[in-house]
Amino acid sequence: MASSADDPSHAKNNGDNYSDPNYRIQIGKKLVIFPNKIIALGSNGSLVCEGKYDDREVVVKRLLKTHHKVATKEIETLKKSDEHENIVRYYGVKYDRDFIYIVLQRCICNLADLIYICEQFYDYEMVNGDGSVTSVSVSQSVGNLESLPSVFEGVKLTKDGRPLPFLLKLMRDIVSGLDHLHELGIIHGDLKPQNILIFKKPNGIFCAKLSDMGISRHLPHDMSSLSHHSSGCGTTGWQAPERLLQGRQTRALDVFSLACIFCFCITGGRKHPFGNTLDRDANIVKNMVNLSFLNKLREAHNLISQSLNPNPKSRPTSAEVLCHPMLWDSKKRISFICDTSNRAQLDLNSDFSKALEAIGPEVLGTNLYGYGRMKDWVNFVDKQIMTHLKKFKYKSWVFLDLLRLQRNLFCHIDQHPIIKEWIGPEAEDFDGYFTSKFPKLFMEVYKVVYKFFEEDQRFKKYFE
């Protein structure tokens, strides 16, 4: 039983007026709760509202005492993991006669709200705990919607369908937080955009934090999976098939959900690999996946298709996801191409150089009557660029010369202001230009380099 100091019936408030948005409940000496300032509603009668803890702005997750096992599990997970910057911070827990109050770090919004606001996509469907679907607007899920557009003013998430640095960083944050949980032997079990929070640091940098570990599972020491009958269930449309079929649960469960979240991010919340809201679970069980909307994003298609493999053992680990080129920024991608070209030019007759040359027809296609001969890559590059680079004497039928073109152009672009103006001044412009012209190039080159030089010192930095 809670002490009288922890009992809201003895707490100071401003008139017990539940219609007053400033109505407050004080629990003990530190915690003040504003139950009418609701941020989110959860399952089993839980809610998340605003609060103050030691005069610090926080959020308070309120659960019925009958759900103390769920609360205990979440607190245990947070205590074990929240020192990582991509896990929401835990500050404490309080009790009264009816409820448990978990005090957590205050964030701006969740990932779903960020995506919808930046994409100006304000209406979407939400699946309720009983499986029914409700049409929701962002204004219903964000307490201070009117201020959020100004917080994210000027933020762009994608360009020509490709994630921009802001979004890439948040996606890396999500994987980093998940990898931390997995290293600790914790399966999150309910990854979805609404359970990823967006936090703004004092220096103005945004980061993503995993939250809502109420159904997380701790793997016993030296074990990699849980039994077929492990308790807890995730959210409709975001669960791996083994969870839906009550199979053994491993860390790969979260990687499957992560892939669905990546699709959500890249498409501005408009696409899901398993279709419409009501059909998703059935399609997941049947492995009826559609990634056609990623056909021009080969790195994303490669990673997400692997991560959605119905066989959990065939999915990459969270650590492998973190290293995948889908999450590389443009500077790293350009550096990789430059290093690859330099290595190939050292010995054009090496097995490595020959393997690179052999992917040319896959990247560029073949001539109709050329008996498999690769198309001339110069036909894909704007004439303004080739005119200024005649001195390098490129062979348009040699794939390695296309890599050499990118290397030379990047290293000497300041000497060609006309080209720089044509492509754009930033690394993202350069990378975006060549990716738009040769969408298959980077992933195919990556596969060859990984095969030959996974342990090579020069390339190890890309694969670790």
Side-chain angles (χ1 to χ4, degrees):
M1 178 66 69
S3 68
S4 60
D6 284 348
D7 188 338
S9 63
H10 298 276
K12 295 179 181 179
N13 57 58
N14 56 355
D16 289 351
N17 183 1
Y18 282 93
S19 64
D20 182 354
N22 294 316
Y23 171 72
R24 51 194 262 165
I25 297 173
Q26 185 154 346
I27 308 291
K29 295 180 180 180
K30 293 184 176 182
L31 178 61
V32 177
I33 303 169
F34 299 95
N36 292 341
K37 295 184 177 181
I38 297 174
I39 296 172
L41 296 173
S43 58
N44 302 316
S46 66
L47 65 82
V48 180
C49 60
E50 296 181 13
K52 284 192 175 182
Y53 190 71
D54 267 349
D55 292 326
R56 171 193 284 141
E57 289 190 348
V58 296
V59 297
V60 181
K61 185 173 183 177
R62 191 193 74 180
L63 299 93
L64 291 167
K65 268 196 171 179
T66 51
H67 298 296
H68 64 91
K69 288 185 178 180
V70 174
T72 300
K73 189 183 298 181
E74 181 161 8
I75 292 168
E76 180 186 354
T77 300
L78 287 166
K79 283 182 175 179
K80 194 174 181 180
S81 64
D82 81 330
E83 290 186 4
H84 193 279
E85 73 166 353
N86 300 125
I87 306 292
V88 70
R89 293 298 308 275
Y90 163 78
Y91 294 135
V93 61
K94 293 290 182 181
Y95 306 87
D96 65 22
R97 288 177 300 197
D98 302 310
F99 298 107
I100 303 169
Y101 302 94
I102 304 176
V103 186
L104 302 169
Q105 185 177 34
R106 181 78 175 270
C107 295
I108 295 175
C109 63
N110 64 46
L111 178 66
D113 296 324
L114 166 69
I115 298 290
Y116 293 137
I117 288 167
C118 290
E119 294 290 321
Q120 297 183 345
F121 182 37
Y122 288 94
D123 297 297
Y124 61 100
E125 291 182 335
M126 180 181 71
V127 179
N128 304 312
D130 61 1
S132 62
V133 178
T134 303
S135 295
V136 180
S137 68
V138 177
S139 59
Q140 291 174 262
S141 60
V142 185
N144 57 340
L145 174 68
E146 62 278 359
S147 66
L148 284 178
S150 62
V151 172
F152 298 115
E153 186 176 1
V155 171
K156 292 189 179 299
L157 302 180
T158 61
K159 182 178 180 180
D160 299 326
R162 295 183 58 81
L164 289 173
F166 181 91
L167 182 57
L168 277 175
K169 182 198 178 299
L170 295 182
M171 292 166 71
R172 286 195 296 268
D173 287 347
I174 297 167
V175 186
S176 181
L178 181 62
D179 189 51
H180 178 65
L181 291 181
H182 286 183
E183 285 181 349
L184 295 174
I186 299 170
I187 300 172
H188 186 287
D190 194 20
L191 279 180
K192 58 182 178 180
Q194 290 79 8
N195 285 346
I196 297 163
L197 303 182
I198 307 301
F199 179 74
K200 188 176 183 180
K201 299 179 182 179
N203 62 3
I205 300 297
F206 291 90
C207 69
K209 292 176 176 281
L210 305 191
S211 70
D212 208 351
M213 270 75 82
I215 66 167
S216 64
R217 300 290 290 166
H218 294 241
L219 293 167
H221 183 62
D222 291 335
M223 290 186 65
S224 61
S225 66
L226 297 167
S227 71
H228 295 70
H229 304 291
S230 297
S231 61
C233 58
T235 303
T236 297
W238 303 94
Q239 303 173 71
E242 62 269 25
R243 165 66 72 74
L244 296 171
L245 297 171
Q246 297 185 332
R248 296 195 69 85
Q249 298 174 25
T250 67
R251 295 172 178 88
L253 188 87
D254 289 332
V255 173
F256 184 97
S257 302
L258 185 68
C260 295
I261 291 171
F262 283 165
C263 290
F264 179 89
C265 291
I266 293 171
T267 65
R270 291 173 170 83
K271 295 288 186 180
H272 191 287
F274 294 96
N276 296 325
T277 306
L278 288 176
D279 300 328
R280 287 173 188 169
D281 280 357
N283 289 340
I284 288 171
V285 170
K286 297 174 185 177
N287 193 32
M288 294 178 63
V289 59
N290 180 6
L291 296 178
S292 60
F293 55 89
L294 296 176
N295 284 344
K296 293 184 178 180
L297 302 174
R298 302 312 300 175
E299 296 83 65
H301 192 287
N302 178 270
L303 174 60
I304 291 172
S305 61
Q306 291 180 54
S307 301
L308 294 178
N309 195 303
N311 181 1
K313 294 181 180 179
S314 297
R315 296 173 202 153
T317 65
S318 54
E320 290 170 337
V321 172
L322 198 56
C323 296
H324 194 277
M326 177 190 139
L327 296 176
W328 293 6
D329 61 25
S330 292
K331 290 182 179 178
K332 187 173 183 178
R333 287 165 58 90
I334 295 167
S335 173
F336 179 79
I337 292 296
C338 290
D339 284 344
T340 299
S341 179
N342 286 335
R343 189 60 179 255
Q345 294 299 320
L346 290 175
D347 183 359
L348 295 176
N349 292 314
S350 67
D351 289 341
F352 171 61
S353 296
K354 291 177 181 177
L356 276 179
E357 189 64 40
I359 66 175
E362 173 64 24
V363 172
L364 299 166
T366 56
N367 291 318
L368 184 60
Y369 302 108
Y371 302 101
R373 182 184 173 217
M374 179 185 77
K375 291 181 179 179
D376 288 353
W377 56 259
V378 72
N379 294 325
F380 295 86
V381 180
D382 290 291
K383 293 180 180 179
Q384 291 88 335
I385 292 176
M386 299 310 303
T387 300
H388 286 81
L389 295 175
K390 284 182 178 179
K391 65 178 182 179
F392 290 104
K393 298 180 179 179
Y394 297 105
K395 301 181 182 70
S396 63
W397 61 91
V398 176
F399 181 73
L400 288 177
D401 273 15
L402 173 56
L403 301 184
R404 187 165 65 93
L405 166 74
Q406 293 182 62
R407 180 198 65 184
N408 291 340
L409 187 56
F410 181 74
C411 292
H412 305 291
I413 196 165
D414 287 335
Q415 300 174 18
H416 302 279
I418 296 178
I419 297 179
K420 190 173 184 178
E421 182 178 355
W422 176 264
I423 291 179
E426 305 296 334
E428 288 76 22
D429 299 319
F430 187 95
D431 180 35
Y433 175 83
F434 281 98
T435 300
S436 67
K437 299 294 183 181
F438 309 101
K440 292 183 177 181
L441 184 146
F442 191 90
M443 196 64 229
E444 294 303 319
V445 170
Y446 176 87
K447 291 176 185 177
V448 174
V449 176
Y450 186 86
K451 178 181 178 181
F452 279 84
F453 297 124
E454 180 186 0
E455 299 297 328
D456 184 272
Q457 196 59 41
R458 171 170 283 192
F459 289 98
K460 201 171 183 180
K461 62 185 178 183
Y462 299 109
F463 305 129
E464 287 181 336

